[in-house]
């Protein structure tokens, strides 16, 4: 165990102004508070907060952080209270300890929802003061180092997974690379001890076979630098077993090259010397294409700066080299601890290196729940980055596989919401194009633009995803409410009752709804039927067994039908109302809806064969009518099957006829092919059923075309 004076000396070595008195008092307070408590390892409990404090001294944190580390488990695990801590150590320490305590309280819950909630609290706490995160990371590091003492394998796995998914990426985000490497490697040891052992054995073998190869390479690199007139420090270090493992996974190969297991580092005084050192290296050794990265000219979002290059180096070994200044080295080593700003006793999270944290907060604000939040952020933190530019040359950093939609949302939520198109390097490109490094992206917006539910399938940033989901959610609810209201209205009319939302208020409780809108939404979603609601409002209809008859297919009095039918508008597909893929109903077709609980309504044409399977469940049928105003320009997709002669130009005349009649082919599939004829299915965007009928007629008049039918099921 670190002794009291040792700890104080360690802090004073890098911070002569440290609060020695507070450190001493915290040491004694924590030791007494934890008393005879023991860790799973059998060590006295106090060794844990002490080790956590020790880890933080390696990052040269201020005395407030060290004191917090010493006290971090006292409120949770001993009789000490927050008030006591605050009166003994002051407001700042009280707040920091409280921040860490709140996180511990819900830790180690195997439940996904609670893990997510924990993470949400962590983000909030660290945005208040990043030191809470640093203490938490050190706490987790020590718990991982002693993980093997925990008996329950399920619990061990859970801690390791949380470390891999949340704490290691966070450590990377705050620039603490060694911490991240160690956390990952310790988690790896839990998940896959055999793989880790074999990598360690292999590393040992290569090291032994190479004899003093690493030393020779370091000497050689030093020699060429000083010959070039540059004073440089050169070092080499072995990568962690986990990073070797990940590399093997990525490249699907075993490791043989030195570059797979070693990283060399050249540290010089100034930025100019970095490029000079790079020049010297590249003029001595051939560069390996694709390995060069200049993070000095374009730093990583967490502030990391360095030049990376790969060369066929000394003795023709392929090696990787990082070049940086002493200052950059310091930042790469200690991350945020080197450059945070204290304001009113808080380590504030302002400045560009905290952009990611502000983005997390933004996602947090708009996510539906902590689980959704966790899902978004987990994805994001794992990804490598691509660097893209606005037309003005501003840098936008996005995760790998990001699209122009992600780019638009990264600039501003509003730009994302109203984006309708994109120019990539001056050329109009689809919104789902995957952006590449260096792309210049111009976003085209429209005042009337709205997020498209389809986007959710390809966006990768949490911000874009939550905004799109939120939009879909609100739209969907509005549509369910509309639909539910219409269903009830018609139901009441049919039963001969006057419809008034007021009467519904009395039955809200029966349906466990807190407002009439909620009830509408539930109805629209198909969670209750109109008959059920009416039965609750007018019990006499129930007594009469007053189930309202479903619409019958044979019904002929068109006008009477219309009266009871529920109007549907040009709704955004994929929400409250879906068009069935079997019959492709078009405005003008006679239609019915089938209600599916929780999914809303699927629209079929009245003669669709798929309706056969719903004859036993009349309560699911809904009478529908089109409500499309004449200036509705929205396209609907109709499907036809066509048989054309297998001869030159027949496909050409087919598409010409469709085009001339203002149809837009959205899909074409050859379903059958013989020597003489092709049979195909064609999807055409049209305005209504009359439009499609015209096209069918025009096609039938075309000589090369044998037969045309509208597809039915
Ligand atoms: Mn702890």
């Amino acid at each position: 165990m670190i002794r009291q004076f040792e700890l104080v000396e360690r802090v004073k070595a890098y911070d002569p102004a440290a609060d020695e008195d507070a450190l001493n008092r915290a040491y004694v307070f924590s030791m007494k508070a934890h008393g005879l408590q023991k860790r799973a390892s059998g060590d006295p409990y106090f060794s844990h907060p002490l080790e956590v404090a020790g880890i933080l001294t390696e990052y040269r944190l201020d005395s407030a952080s060290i004191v917090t580390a010493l006290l971090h488990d006292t409120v949770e695990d001993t009789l000490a209270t927050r008030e006591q801590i605050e009166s003994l150590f002051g407001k700042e320490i009280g707040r920091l300890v409280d921040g860490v305590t709140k996180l511990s309280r819900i830790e180690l819950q195997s439940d996904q929802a609670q893990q997510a909630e924990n993470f949400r609290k962590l983000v909030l706490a660290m945005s208040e003061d990043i030191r809470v995160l640093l203490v938490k990371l050190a706490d987790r590091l020590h718990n991982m180092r002693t993980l093997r003492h925990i008996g329950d394998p399920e619990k061990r796995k859970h801690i390791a997974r949380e470390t891999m998914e949340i704490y290691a990426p966070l450590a990377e985000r705050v620039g603490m690379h060694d911490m991240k490497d160690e956390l990952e490697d310790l988690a790896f040891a839990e998940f896959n001890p055999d793989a880790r052992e074999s990598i360690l054995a292999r590393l040992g073998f290569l090291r032994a076979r190479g004899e003093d190869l690493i030393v020779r390479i370091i000497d050689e690199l030093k020699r060429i630098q000083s010959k070039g007139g540059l004073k440089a420090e050169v070092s080499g270090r072995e990568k962690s077993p986990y990073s070797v493992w990940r590399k093997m996974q990525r490249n699907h190969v075993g490791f043989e090259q030195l570059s797979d297991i070693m990283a060399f580092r050249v540290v010089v005084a100034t930025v100019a010397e970095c490029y000079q050192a790079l020049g010297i290296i590249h003029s001595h050794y051939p560069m390996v294409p694709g390995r060069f990265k200049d993070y000095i000219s374009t730093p990583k979002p967490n502030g990391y700066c360095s030049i990376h290059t790969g060369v066929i180096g000394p003795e023709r070994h392929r090696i990787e080299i990082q070049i940086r200044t002493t200052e950059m080295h310091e930042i790469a080593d200690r991350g945020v601890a080197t450059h945070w700003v204290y304001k009113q006793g808080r380590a504030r999270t302002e400045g560009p290196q905290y952009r990611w944290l502000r983005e997390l907060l933004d996602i947090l604000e708009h996510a539906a729940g902590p689980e959704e939040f966790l899902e978004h952020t987990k994805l994001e933190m794992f990804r490598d980055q691509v660097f893209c530019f606005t037309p003005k040359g501003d840098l936008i950093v996005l995760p790998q596989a990001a699209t122009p939609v992600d780019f638009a949302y990264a600039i501003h939520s509003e730009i994302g919401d109203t984006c309708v198109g994109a120019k990539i390097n001056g050329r109009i490109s689809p919104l789902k194009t995957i952006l590449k490094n260096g792309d210049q992206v111009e976003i085209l917006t429209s005042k009337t633009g709205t997020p498209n539910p389809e986007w959710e399938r390809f966006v990768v940033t949490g911000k874009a995803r939550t905004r799109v989901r939120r939009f879909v959610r609100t739209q969907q609810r509005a549509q369910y409410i509309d639909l539910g209201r219409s269903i009830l209205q018609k139901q009441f009319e049919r039963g001969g009752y006057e419809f008034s939302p007021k009467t519904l208020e009395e039955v809200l409780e029966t349906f466990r709804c807190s407002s009439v809108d909620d009830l509408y939404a539930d109805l629209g979603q198909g969670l209750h039927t109109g008959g059920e609601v009416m039965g609750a409002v007018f019990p006499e209809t129930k007594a009469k067994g007053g189930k309202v008859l479903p619409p019958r297919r044979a019904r002929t009095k068109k006008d009477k039908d219309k009266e009871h039918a529920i109007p549907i508008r040009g709704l955004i597909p994929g929400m409250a109302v879906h068009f069935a893929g079997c019959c492709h109903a078009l405005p003008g077709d006679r239609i019915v809806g089938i209600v599916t609980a929780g999914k809303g309504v699927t629209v079929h044409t009245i003669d669709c064969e798929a309706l056969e399977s719903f004859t036993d469940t009349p309560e699911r049928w809904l009478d529908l009518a089109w409500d499309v105003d004449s200036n509705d320009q929205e396209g609907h997709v109709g499907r036809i099957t066509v048989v054309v002669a297998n001869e030159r130009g027949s496909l050409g005349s087919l598409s010409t006829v469709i085009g001339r009649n203002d149809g837009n082919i959205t899909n074409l599939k050859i379903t059958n092919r013989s020597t003489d004829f092709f049979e195909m299915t064609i999807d055409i965007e049209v305005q209504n059923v009359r439009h499609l009928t015209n096209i069918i007629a025009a096609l039938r008049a075309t000589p090369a075309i044998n037969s045309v039918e509208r597809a039915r099921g």
Side-chain angles (χ1 to χ4, degrees), residues 571-592:
L571 296 165
I572 301 174
M575 292 194 186
V577 174
H578 318 255
F579 291 98
C582 39
C583 49
H584 292 265
L586 292 173
D589 279 329
R590 295 193 56 216
I591 47 174
V592 288

Side-chain angles (χ1 to χ4, degrees), residues 45 48 72-73 139 143:
Y45 194 94
H48 166 65
H72 83 269
D73 278 335
D139 179 37
N143 286 336

Side-chain angles (χ1 to χ4, degrees), residues 494 548-555 561 564-565 590-594 606 618-624:
R494 241 191 265 181
V548 177
L549 289 174
R552 256 187 317 235
R553 292 211 233 173
R555 214 181 274 180
D561 259 15
H564 293 307
R590 295 193 56 216
I591 47 174
V592 288
I594 296 294
I606 201 128
E619 67 280 1
R620 294 181 61 187
W621 291 58
L622 269 187
D623 228 346
L624 298 178

Side-chain angles (χ1 to χ4, degrees), residues 212-432:
D212 51 356
L213 173 63
I214 287 149
V215 180
R216 288 204 305 275
I217 291 178
I218 292 174
D219 284 348
E220 169 80 12
L221 289 175
K222 264 190 200 153
R223 199 182 55 75
I224 63 162
Q225 292 294 348
S226 77
K227 215 174 81 189
L230 207 57
K231 212 174 144 260
E233 262 177 60
V234 182
S235 59
R237 60 174 201 153
E238 212 166 77
K239 292 176 182 170
S240 75
Y242 179 70
S243 52
V244 173
W245 165 254
R246 217 170 35 177
K247 197 160 194 162
M248 284 167 60
Q249 276 187 322
R250 249 200 322 260
N251 303 335
H252 309 288
V253 287
F255 60 99
E256 270 319 310
Q257 298 284 353
L258 199 59
S259 66
D260 295 332
I261 58 167
M262 286 291 300
F264 292 88
R265 194 170 284 157
V266 175
V267 178
V268 292
T270 65
V271 171
E273 285 182 4
C274 287
Y275 291 101
Q276 210 180 323
L278 176 72
I280 293 170
I281 289 165
H282 280 185
S283 60
H284 276 80
Y285 310 111
M287 184 181 100
V288 178
R291 305 319 307 240
F292 177 71
K293 287 189 189 102
D294 188 345
Y295 294 117
I296 291 180
S297 142
T298 315
K300 284 193 183 180
N302 62 13
Y304 175 85
C305 296
S306 269
I307 295 171
H308 293 186
T309 188
V311 293
I312 308 294
E315 303 175 28
R316 302 210 47 79
H317 283 290
R318 202 176 126 163
I319 56 172
E320 273 170 29
I321 305 174
Q322 302 168 341
I323 306 166
R324 50 172 80 149
T325 66
T326 320
E327 202 192 329
M328 292 168 192
H329 185 51
E330 176 97 332
I331 292 172
D333 244 19
R334 293 174 51 216
V336 289
T338 36
H339 53 201
W340 68 35
V341 199
Y342 288 104
K343 272 185 195 161
Q344 296 123 26
R346 285 181 191 226
R348 284 283 181 185
T349 49
E350 288 149 9
Q353 71 272 27
Y354 291 116
R355 197 187 152 124
W356 60 275
L357 188 50
R358 287 193 296 275
E359 277 165 8
L360 282 188
L361 283 172
D362 198 62
I363 294 171
L364 187 56
E365 234 166 74
H366 293 118
E371 275 170 299
E372 189 177 314
F373 174 60
L374 186 68
E375 178 200 331
H376 295 333
T377 45
K378 244 189 323 201
L379 287 174
E380 194 149 336
M381 283 197 296
F382 267 126
R383 296 226 163 97
D384 289 337
Q385 277 124 7
V386 288
F387 298 91
C388 303
F389 297 91
T390 66
K392 280 185 188 150
D394 290 336
L395 176 68
I396 303 285
V397 184
L398 294 165
Q400 213 51 254
T403 62
V405 177
D406 294 294
F407 185 92
Y409 275 108
I411 300 174
H412 198 280
S413 311
E414 203 141 299
I415 297 190
D417 283 346
T418 58
C419 110
V420 291
K423 280 186 184 172
I424 301 174
N425 303 320
R427 188 180 296 171
I428 294 266
S429 308
L431 282 175
K432 65 177 178 192

Side-chain angles (χ1 to χ4, degrees), residues 123-191:
V123 170
L124 287 176
M126 69 197 187
S127 65
E128 281 278 299
D129 194 321
I130 198 78
R131 287 176 294 182
V132 171
L133 173 63
L134 303 184
V135 175
K136 197 66 213 163
L137 284 173
D139 179 37
R140 178 50 64 109
L141 180 58
H142 184 247
N143 286 336
M144 285 302 292
R145 283 178 182 170
T146 53
L147 188 65
R148 60 183 183 283
H149 296 298
I150 290 178
D152 178 1
E154 277 302 304
K155 195 171 167 187
R156 281 205 309 269
K157 284 250 167 359
H158 174 69
I159 298 174
R161 188 171 318 112
E162 199 178 57
T163 300
M164 194 66 109
E165 292 181 348
I166 293 174
Y167 289 97
L170 278 174
E172 181 171 32
R173 276 304 171 108
V174 292
M176 296 170 140
H177 294 103
D178 289 353
M179 171 97 75
K180 177 209 143 214
D181 282 349
E182 193 178 344
L183 284 172
E184 279 179 343
D185 203 45
L186 289 165
F188 179 46
E190 178 59 39
F191 285 132

Side-chain angles (χ1 to χ4, degrees), residues 406-659:
D406 294 294
F407 185 92
Y409 275 108
I411 300 174
H412 198 280
S413 311
E414 203 141 299
I415 297 190
D417 283 346
T418 58
C419 110
V420 291
K423 280 186 184 172
I424 301 174
N425 303 320
R427 188 180 296 171
I428 294 266
S429 308
L431 282 175
K432 65 177 178 192
T433 312
I434 287 174
L435 296 175
K436 293 191 298 293
N437 259 325
D439 276 348
Q440 193 204 66
V441 185
E442 185 185 344
I443 298 296
L444 312 171
T445 59
S446 150
K447 269 191 197 132
T448 55
T450 60
N452 183 334
E454 293 284 298
W455 292 352
E456 214 193 308
R457 292 213 301 233
F458 58 75
V459 296
V460 298
T461 52
K463 189 173 176 188
R465 201 178 290 251
T466 35
R467 294 290 299 200
V468 175
R469 264 203 201 164
R470 193 170 68 128
F471 175 79
V472 171
R473 246 195 324 264
T474 38
Q475 285 292 307
Q476 203 166 35
R477 183 172 155 82
Q479 291 190 5
Y480 280 142
I481 289 175
D482 259 9
L483 187 64
R485 190 189 298 114
S486 312
I487 290 176
L488 261 193
Q489 237 162 8
K490 295 294 165 191
Q491 184 89 39
F492 274 51
E493 274 169 30
R494 241 191 265 181
Y497 292 96
E498 197 184 325
F499 176 74
S500 107
K502 263 246 147 36
T503 57
L504 296 175
E505 272 166 24
E506 285 150 39
V507 299
L508 287 181
E509 226 166 279
T510 321
F511 296 97
R512 296 211 191 96
C513 292
S514 51
S515 69
V516 174
D517 272 358
D518 277 357
L519 183 60
Y520 291 153
D522 280 4
L523 259 162
Q525 254 186 89
L527 299 178
H528 317 298
T529 66
E532 277 167 26
V533 176
M534 201 166 74
V537 180
F538 305 108
E540 65 272 20
T541 60
K542 222 185 194 167
K544 277 191 288 179
K547 241 190 192 169
V548 177
L549 289 174
R552 256 187 317 235
R553 292 211 233 173
R555 214 181 274 180
T556 45
K557 285 176 217 138
K558 227 178 174 180
D559 292 343
K560 201 180 167 231
D561 259 15
K562 261 228 162 107
E563 205 170 284
H564 293 307
I566 291 153
I568 67 163
R569 264 165 235 113
L571 296 165
I572 301 174
M575 292 194 186
V577 174
H578 318 255
F579 291 98
C582 39
C583 49
H584 292 265
L586 292 173
D589 279 329
R590 295 193 56 216
I591 47 174
V592 288
I594 296 294
V595 179
T596 306
K599 283 180 78 182
V601 174
T602 310
V603 180
H604 293 267
T605 59
I606 201 128
D607 53 359
C608 177
E609 280 165 21
L611 288 173
E612 286 299 333
S613 46
F614 299 104
T615 44
D616 295 341
T617 49
E619 67 280 1
R620 294 181 61 187
W621 291 58
L622 269 187
D623 228 346
L624 298 178
W626 293 98
D627 179 22
V628 185
D629 40 26
S630 47
N631 55 10
D632 178 23
Q633 287 303 312
E634 205 179 334
H636 297 265
V637 176
R639 176 170 291 180
I640 55 172
T641 51
V642 182
V643 178
V644 294
N646 183 6
E647 60 188 44
R648 213 170 290 165
S650 60
L651 204 56
S653 41
L654 175 89
S655 56
T656 308
V657 171
I658 293 174

